Amino acid sequence: MPAKFELIAPCFFGCESTAKFELTRIGAENIRVDDGRLSFAGGAEMIAAANLNLRTVERVMLLLARYRAATFDDLFDGVYDIPWEELLPADAAFPVTGSSLNSQLSSVPACQSIIKKAVVKRLMAKHHTSVLPETGAEYKIRFMLRKDQCEIMLDTTGDGLHKRGYRRNAMEAPIRETLAATIADLGRVRRDSLVEDPFCGSGTLLIEAAQKAMNIAPGLKRRFAAERYGFVPAAIWAEQRQKALAEAKLDVGFEAFGYDIDPAAVALANANAKLAGVEKRCHFEVADVADFAAKQEAIVLTNPPYGERMSTIEGAAKLARTLGRQMEAHPCAGVYAITADMDFETHYGKRANKRRKMYNGMIPCQLYMYYSAPKLEHTAKPMPKSGFDGKRTAPNRFNKK
């Protein structure tokens, strides 16, 4: 068993920079950033620390092998070479899931079968048994094939890290907790911040902002797959949980106010805040966005209703216009609005200082950021109506006639 593991943490596009900062903060080594994921190194304590403390990644996986697999024989041999007996006991259950993209081995079910067979052969040989009952702890094996490059991983998380343990239910089209935590970071939420949300829904944005401000580890109220893994001792989990508890700052000046026109959403938000341990910092009330008056020092984090929560595009546009008028009448420290509405700036009535492409689940969105920009900072250009390829051409100022 190696002293250090190579770990992989997938995240939504747009969350990578925040996730890198989090990994640095908990002491991860050799951090590398790719689109939609980060890789890093650490011992067994890092497996526990990453699962407990990371707010913006979806899960933590242990990389066991990376190799070229253009044939089923290649796939089988690479899996068989992994020392599974050091990781899985003889009674372990080990389901296999994965994906294949632009690879010769395109059938996911066939790959699952080959990988399962290789693990079975290795465990039988090394545990000196002809029976693998799979009645013990579950070890989820994941594979990813990309352009014939195969990665074999062991999932240490179980249910995705966005499942914090505090949200029992949600309104339609909820924002992911991991994405909400990223927006709180991009909005520069601090220990003494005042945060508001005129479309609070089930309260996720404000709850995540509160937990960030109070440094409450997001994984304290749930369990993880690797807590049942023999190579991550229970003492390490206990130690990391105690460390996370000790680092919480419950006496901060942070405060948050959320509003929604739906009384059921407000009731749910209050219940979720209590489950998350931030009910003294987060306050939710029934109110219409037409009456919203942000406080001057407030940071507004919001996910205006669009799509599933809004029956018509016209209705969503009307809400964005109303929000724009209210923010014009009551300017504040910053507005950070995430939406799938690509005409949001037009409806809101103002160009964003900055935009960032993000995904809420599988839904492509933009985070529109409004704040008091320094004099030399250029504001973002309006979103083109069609043909957007991420490039814009500017006139050549040196060729003026």
Side-chain angles (χ1 to χ4, degrees), residues 7 23 26-29 40-51 60 240:
L7 301 163
L23 283 168
I26 64 172
E29 302 173 13
F40 56 102
E45 71 284 350
M46 182 53 60
I47 292 175
N51 277 295
V60 178
Q240 291 299 323

Side-chain angles (χ1 to χ4, degrees), residues 73-331:
D73 285 342
D74 294 339
L75 182 63
F76 181 96
D77 291 343
V79 174
Y80 189 86
D81 287 341
I82 297 169
W84 293 103
E85 68 280 1
E86 296 179 8
L87 302 168
L88 278 61
D91 67 345
F94 46 100
V96 179
T97 59
S99 61
S100 177
L101 181 66
N102 298 329
S103 297
Q104 294 185 58
L105 302 180
S106 59
S107 171
V108 171
C111 290
Q112 287 174 290
S113 178
I114 293 295
I115 291 170
K116 182 83 172 184
K117 181 179 179 181
V119 178
V120 167
K121 293 284 188 183
R122 174 88 187 204
L123 288 178
M124 283 183 170
K126 299 299 181 178
H127 283 311
H128 307 290
T129 181
S130 60
V131 178
L132 296 174
E134 296 199 50
T135 55
E138 185 174 75
Y139 292 69
K140 294 183 178 180
I141 299 170
R142 293 179 179 267
F143 71 91
M144 185 168 70
L145 274 164
R146 296 291 184 271
K147 296 181 179 179
D148 295 332
Q149 291 298 312
C150 181
E151 290 182 334
I152 304 294
M153 297 163 285
L154 191 63
D155 184 3
T156 73
T157 299
D159 290 337
L161 287 176
H162 68 280
K163 295 188 177 180
R164 312 292 207 210
Y166 68 74
R167 189 163 75 178
R168 296 290 182 257
N169 296 288
M171 305 308 295
E172 292 178 336
I175 189 169
R176 281 278 186 108
E177 289 85 345
T178 44
L179 182 57
T182 300
I183 294 170
D185 182 73
L186 294 172
R188 300 184 182 277
V189 170
R190 300 293 184 262
R191 295 180 183 179
D192 59 350
S193 296
L194 169 64
V195 182
E196 297 186 90
D197 183 356
F199 303 107
C200 69
S202 54
T204 306
L205 274 164
L206 297 189
I207 291 170
E208 289 296 322
Q211 289 203 331
K212 178 184 185 300
M214 300 166 74
N215 202 35
I216 297 174
L220 283 174
K221 290 185 176 290
R222 57 161 290 176
R223 295 291 175 179
F224 303 96
E227 290 189 69
R228 301 186 297 274
Y229 295 175
F231 60 91
V232 187
I236 286 179
W237 285 101
E239 177 186 335
Q240 291 299 323
R241 284 184 183 276
Q242 282 302 121
K243 182 179 179 182
L245 283 167
E247 291 176 350
K249 308 294 182 184
L250 305 184
D251 58 347
V252 299
F254 175 90
E255 202 163 14
F257 295 88
Y259 310 96
D260 201 287
I261 199 169
D262 184 354
V266 170
L268 187 55
N270 279 309
N272 287 339
K274 187 172 183 179
L275 286 170
V278 296
E279 73 276 12
K280 293 182 180 179
R281 305 290 176 177
C282 295
H283 316 281
F284 300 97
E285 300 174 8
V286 177
D288 194 308
V289 66
D291 301 318
F292 180 60
K295 297 179 177 61
Q296 187 175 3
E297 69 275 22
I299 301 168
V300 173
L301 308 179
T302 192
N303 177 208
Y306 187 83
E308 290 183 43
R309 278 197 80 196
M310 200 73 243
S311 58
T312 64
I313 294 175
E314 291 78 12
K318 182 180 178 181
L319 286 180
R321 284 193 292 270
T322 302
L323 176 63
R325 287 197 299 268
Q326 294 305 108
M327 296 314 306
E328 180 71 21
H330 307 279

Side-chain angles (χ1 to χ4, degrees), residues 380-400:
K381 294 182 180 179
M383 288 289 289
K385 296 297 181 184
S386 62
F388 179 59
D389 61 359
K391 300 177 183 178
R392 299 185 177 91
T393 57
N396 189 335
R397 61 189 178 91
F398 298 107
N399 292 334
K400 292 181 180 178

